[in-house]
């Protein structure tokens, strides 16, 4: 029996939209559905006061893969935005990622050698303390972080922020969460090492709309509200939702962290002078403030719009009905996910893709790269 579509794509986020784009190029008939009232998934932007507001948290595209960069720029031109976050600890500002500017702000050191000696001195103290406790490997995130960067930076710039983010004491968090930290002994505030970086000119909606040109879409359409119907209109399904939900939580529910956003509009052209400011004290309830205009406006252009929009981000424990943002990749949840993955691997006509379907945190570029790889294997 010939079905109406070659692919039903469940979820109109970056994975779903990119897959639809590549499938259309291959001559396939696609329908993209999303339970939200808009396309774009978590990269959706809303225009407020002439500013593209990232409604589900800040998204910065970065990659060293030229094929990925060329693909997204063939849809919409990207700007020159460079992610250079700032950390606020007790009203003192520190540059991120940890670099010579940070070390100067923290200790007054001015050379890489001085900075290395300072960090090494604090690492030695931590190693001695662990040895006295009879342990050779870090037992938790706190011990791991201090071994990597020293006590001062850990206590001011990592501890409070991380505990707010995870809702748990650093002594209770596994060491593997922070196996690596970007540490640079140069005066460079660029957070990413990638060759290419930027934001779509006009916002991420331009990227999604461009990917989905000529493709049938339906919003406010929940796959699970009419599952039998949706499963029978296409030869194959691309599923980007929660893998445990697809399998009706037969082994139990996977856990997530979620984020709550508080938007505020100010009668000022420039609220904090930077797109991203982290608040690393434990007693400040939000983890960071995003000022959205800085993603797309630079220099004096910022003053062109006399108002600004900020979002305060609050990291909280996920409960049913909330948006699922970050998988909790501890042993319990990963063991549960592997049970679902074993089922998914046996599916002949369903492809699971994206952070919810793969229970994995993804940046945007690897999502695009993954879809390119799937397409190259043949759609």
């Amino acid at each position: 029996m010939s079905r109406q579509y070659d692919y039903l794509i469940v979820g109109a986020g970056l994975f779903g939209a990119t897959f639809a784009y590549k499938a259309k190029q291959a001559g396939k008939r696609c329908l993209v559905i999303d339970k939200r009232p808009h396309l774009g998934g978590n990269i959706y932007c809303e225009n407020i006061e002439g500013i593209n507001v990232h409604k589900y948290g800040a998204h910065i595209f970065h990659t060293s893969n030229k094929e990925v960069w060329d693909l997204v720029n063939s849809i919409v031109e990207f700007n020159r935005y460079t992610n250079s976050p700032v950390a606020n600890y007790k009203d003192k500002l520190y540059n991120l990622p940890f670099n010579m500017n940070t070390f100067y702000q923290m200790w007054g050191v001015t050379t890489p050698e001085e900075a290395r000696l300072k960090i090494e001195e604090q690492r030695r103290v931590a190693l001695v303390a662990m040895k006295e406790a009879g342990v050779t490997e870090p037992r938790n995130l706190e011990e791991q972080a201090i071994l990597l960067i020293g006590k001062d930076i850990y206590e001011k710039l990592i501890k409070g922020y991380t505990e707010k983010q995870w809702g748990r004491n650093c002594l209770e968090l596994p060491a593997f969460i922070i196996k690596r930290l970007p540490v640079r002994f140069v005066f460079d505030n660029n957070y990413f090492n990638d060759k290419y970086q930027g934001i779509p000119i006009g916002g991420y909606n331009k990227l999604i709309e461009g990917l989905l040109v000529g493709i049938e879409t339906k919003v406010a359409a929940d796959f699970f509200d009419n599952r039998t119907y949706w499963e029978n209109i296409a030869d194959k399904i691309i599923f980007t939702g929660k893998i445990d939900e697809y399998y009706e939580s037969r082994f139990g529910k996977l856990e997530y962290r979620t984020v709550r956003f508080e938007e505020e509009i100010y009668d000022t052209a420039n609220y904090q002078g930077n797109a991203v400011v982290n608040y690393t004290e434990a007693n400040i309830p939000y983890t960071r403030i995003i000022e959205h205009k800085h993603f797309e406006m630079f220099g004096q252009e910022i003053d062109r719009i006399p108002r600004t929009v900020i979002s305060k981000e609050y990291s909280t424990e996920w409960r049913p009905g909330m948006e699922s943002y970050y998988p909790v990749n501890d042993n319990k949840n990963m063991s549960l996910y592997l049970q679902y993955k074993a089922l998914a691997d046996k599916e002949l006509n369903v492809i699971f893709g994206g952070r919810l379907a793969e229970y994995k945190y993804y940046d945007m570029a690897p999502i695009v790269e993954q879809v390119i790889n799937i397409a190259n294997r043949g759609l």
Side-chain angles (χ1 to χ4, degrees), residues 304-324:
R304 181 172 56 80
I305 295 177
R307 306 183 88 192
T308 195
V309 183
I310 69 162
S311 298
K312 292 178 178 174
E313 296 188 6
Y314 297 80
S315 182
T316 60
E317 210 69 29
W318 177 86
R319 293 191 302 278
M322 292 179 166
E323 293 291 346
S324 307

Side-chain angles (χ1 to χ4, degrees), residues 63-133:
T63 184
S64 292
N65 184 321
K66 189 173 188 303
E67 186 178 11
V68 168
W69 186 245
D70 287 348
L71 188 154
V72 296
N73 274 270
S74 74
I75 305 295
V76 57
E77 186 182 354
F78 277 57
N79 68 20
R80 66 164 183 82
Y81 176 79
T82 300
N83 190 33
S84 304
V86 171
N88 183 314
Y89 178 79
K90 296 188 175 178
D91 292 328
K92 289 190 176 177
L93 300 179
Y94 300 87
N95 288 107
L96 299 174
F98 307 134
N99 68 73
M100 284 304 299
N101 290 306
T102 326
F103 307 143
Y104 173 72
Q105 291 150 353
M106 186 70 62
W107 300 307
V109 297
T110 56
T111 68
E113 184 60 25
E114 289 176 303
R116 286 181 195 278
L117 287 172
K118 195 75 181 173
I119 293 170
E120 203 50 50
E121 174 192 327
Q122 297 193 359
R123 291 184 66 211
R124 274 200 304 272
V125 171
L127 280 168
V128 168
M130 283 175 58
K131 191 174 180 182
E132 288 174 353

Side-chain angles (χ1 to χ4, degrees), residues 138-272:
R139 295 165 292 184
N140 51 58
L141 186 147
E142 178 169 298
E143 289 180 349
Q144 178 70 68
I146 294 173
L147 275 187
L148 288 171
I149 198 64
K151 188 175 181 181
D152 291 346
I153 287 176
Y154 166 71
E155 290 191 340
K156 290 183 179 178
L157 304 183
I158 296 174
K159 180 177 165 62
Y161 185 89
T162 304
E163 291 181 346
K164 287 188 289 189
Q165 205 173 25
W166 290 97
R168 291 163 179 79
N169 191 294
C170 284
L171 294 171
E172 299 166 13
L173 289 168
F176 73 77
I177 289 178
I178 203 162
K179 278 289 185 190
R180 284 183 293 275
L181 283 171
V183 179
R184 301 182 190 145
F185 293 94
V186 290
F187 290 90
D188 179 8
N189 298 323
N190 182 356
Y191 198 82
F192 301 119
N193 287 315
D194 288 305
K195 186 173 181 179
Y196 309 108
Q197 180 175 181
I199 305 282
I201 294 172
Y204 280 99
N205 294 1
K206 297 277 188 189
L207 175 61
I208 294 296
E209 288 161 8
L211 289 168
L212 293 175
V213 164
I215 295 165
E216 193 177 340
T217 63
K218 290 184 188 294
V219 296
D222 191 330
F223 175 80
F224 295 106
D225 284 349
N226 202 351
R227 182 169 183 160
T228 303
Y229 168 76
W230 294 120
E231 286 180 330
N232 285 289
I233 66 168
D235 294 331
K236 291 189 176 182
I237 293 173
I238 308 303
F239 187 78
T240 70
K242 288 156 59 171
I243 191 170
D244 53 335
E245 190 174 10
Y246 185 86
Y247 289 110
E248 298 173 327
S249 303
R250 68 177 70 173
F251 304 125
K253 288 184 183 294
L254 290 165
E255 295 176 314
Y256 296 85
R257 292 289 290 172
T258 190
V259 182
R260 177 171 61 84
F261 303 98
E262 277 186 7
E263 269 175 31
E264 297 172 8
I265 300 172
Y266 284 90
D267 285 317
T268 179
N270 192 357
Y271 176 82
Q272 63 184 17

